[in-house]
Each structure stands twice: as structure tokens, then as C-alpha cells.
Amino acid sequence: AICDALPVARDLRRRIKARLGRCVHHIACSRYFYYYSYLRPRVGDYDEIMLTDVRDVIFQADPFTVPLTAPLRFFIEHPSMTVGGQINNALWVGNAYGHPVLAKIADRPVSCSGITYGTATGMLDYLAAMTDELTALTRKVAGGIGYDQGVHNYLIWHHRFPRAEIMENTAGPVLTLQAVPADEISVDSSGRLLDRNGAVVPVLHQYDRHPGHRDRLRSLLAG
């Protein structure tokens, strides 16, 4: 009887945690609690899911055209961005987990938490892990912006998702432009941004960091 009750108790704890997390965390972090609360009872309704930022994301093509080969797909930023070498990421990991932990993953490339793909069950596992960590870190990070990325990278580089696919910045359906030099950006005759193989990248993240491309892409959408 006790064993039968354990899943119910765990589910109750998760629902309580989700309500508390939504109240105390910055929206950049509390969104994961909302995502989890929404998906948990509906996981059977979806095949694939993309979690995405909104303000600085633009779609050039269908984001689901690159088939998933793993339960989760994470995206690496420009190789110049490392967890310990980029000031914000170092702060998020160091403040949340301490400098010894930061030192262990300092040389790892940054995976942007702004966009994540996955199967429905893979995404539910990811959200459970994210909300568990954010709950445990509440006293340290409540109200702070950006700590979701620290948690995201902590989990990835501590192999919490061993079956996940980790994609380089110019090799998949998402291009994160924050640290990409202008001379490394390729475009087609219409002004759409391309990946390393010359194909149109379906999703551009942080596209507004490059004003020339930003204005052209907005014009394409408006047209």
C-alpha cells in the first residue's frame, strides 16, 4: 500500500512545487513551472515540442522539419562562448552552484536555454529536472533573471540527459546569433540566414543582435 501511494505523493509534491515556483521565481525561471504544469496532464497529446523565447526569435521555415533522433535536442551557442569564459553564464552557474562546480564545467560550450526541442516524454523529463533544480535553489536564485540558463547548463554538462542530442550552432534547426561575428553569417539571395551547408535555418534566436539582419528579416516578414 505504501508503494502504491508513492507515485501519488510524488505527483502531489510536484503540483505544490509548481505553484510555489510560479510565485517566487522571475518569469525567466517560473515559466518552467508553468510548462510542467501544462504538459504533465497532456503529455499524451503531443509528439514533439519546442520551448522557445519569443521577443528575439524569428522563424524562417517550419521548425519541425529536422527529425528528432533523441528525446531531447539542445543547442550550443558560438564556440567562443564557454560557461566559465562568458561573464553572465559564469555568474549564473557560480552563484547557483558555487565556484568548484563552475570550475568543473568552465570549459564547456554554452547551451542556450532559450530554445529546446524534445519528444513529449523527453520534454516532461527535462521540465521535471529543471523545476526540481530551481526549487532546490530557491533561496539562492529566487527573483533573479537568467538562472534558468545556469541550471540548464549544469544539468546538461552533468549528464542528466544522457540520450540528448547536442547540436552545434550552425549544424541544426536553430542558429543562436548573440556571439556570431558578422562575417560568419551567410545569407541567400532573399536575405534569409543559412546554416553551414547552405540550407535555410528554420529558427533564428537573438536575431536582433545584428541590426542589419534584424531589419532585413523584419522586412521579409512584413512583405
Side-chain angles (χ1 to χ4, degrees):
I2 293 175
C3 291
D4 291 340
L6 285 176
V8 176
R10 281 196 297 267
D11 183 64
L12 179 60
R13 284 199 300 272
R14 287 200 180 280
R15 281 186 282 153
I16 294 171
K17 176 189 71 176
R19 293 195 177 198
L20 290 174
R22 294 197 297 265
C23 295
V24 301
H25 285 287
H26 187 279
I27 187 61
C29 295
S30 68
R31 57 180 167 167
Y32 296 90
F33 294 91
Y34 284 101
Y35 293 153
Y36 180 82
S37 296
Y38 178 85
L39 182 59
R40 182 187 58 80
R42 300 174 178 86
V43 68
D45 297 342
Y46 301 96
D47 295 319
E48 297 181 6
I49 294 170
M50 179 181 74
L51 302 179
T52 179
D53 288 349
V54 177
R55 180 191 59 80
D56 59 357
V57 172
I58 199 167
F59 295 95
Q60 299 190 121
D62 183 346
F64 295 102
T65 54
V66 180
L68 276 170
T69 58
L72 289 164
R73 177 179 284 161
F74 301 119
F75 301 97
I76 299 299
E77 296 195 39
H78 190 268
S80 64
M81 297 270 283
T82 61
V83 173
Q86 201 284 323
I87 186 169
N88 292 325
N89 285 276
L91 181 148
W92 294 326
V93 174
N95 285 356
Y97 293 102
H99 290 284
V101 171
L102 171 61
K104 289 180 180 179
I105 63 172
D107 62 341
R108 300 287 186 168
V110 170
S111 172
C112 186
S113 62
I115 299 180
T116 300
Y117 278 66
T119 63
T121 53
M123 191 62 72
L124 191 65
D125 180 49
Y126 169 72
L127 293 172
M130 286 289 290
T131 54
D132 282 347
E133 285 296 311
L134 287 166
T135 299
L137 294 167
T138 294
R139 289 186 179 181
K140 293 182 178 180
V141 308
I145 188 170
Y147 283 101
D148 60 306
Q149 181 141 310
V151 172
H152 175 88
N153 278 275
Y154 171 84
L155 291 170
I156 290 173
W157 301 125
H158 281 80
H159 310 294
R160 171 60 176 78
F161 313 107
R163 296 175 57 206
E165 179 181 25
I166 301 177
M167 305 201 80
E168 295 181 18
N169 200 31
T170 57
V174 173
L175 177 59
T176 303
L177 289 157
Q178 169 71 37
V180 179
D183 61 2
E184 293 184 16
I185 299 174
S186 299
V187 300
D188 66 9
S189 58
S190 299
R192 296 175 300 177
L193 275 60
L194 308 175
D195 66 17
R196 65 177 61 171
N197 297 314
V200 172
V201 182
V203 184
L204 303 177
H205 186 207
Q206 300 172 348
Y207 77 97
D208 56 350
R209 272 53 162 190
H210 293 267
H213 294 296
R214 176 197 64 201
D215 296 340
R216 182 169 57 252
L217 289 163
R218 288 176 177 173
S219 295
L220 284 173
L221 282 180

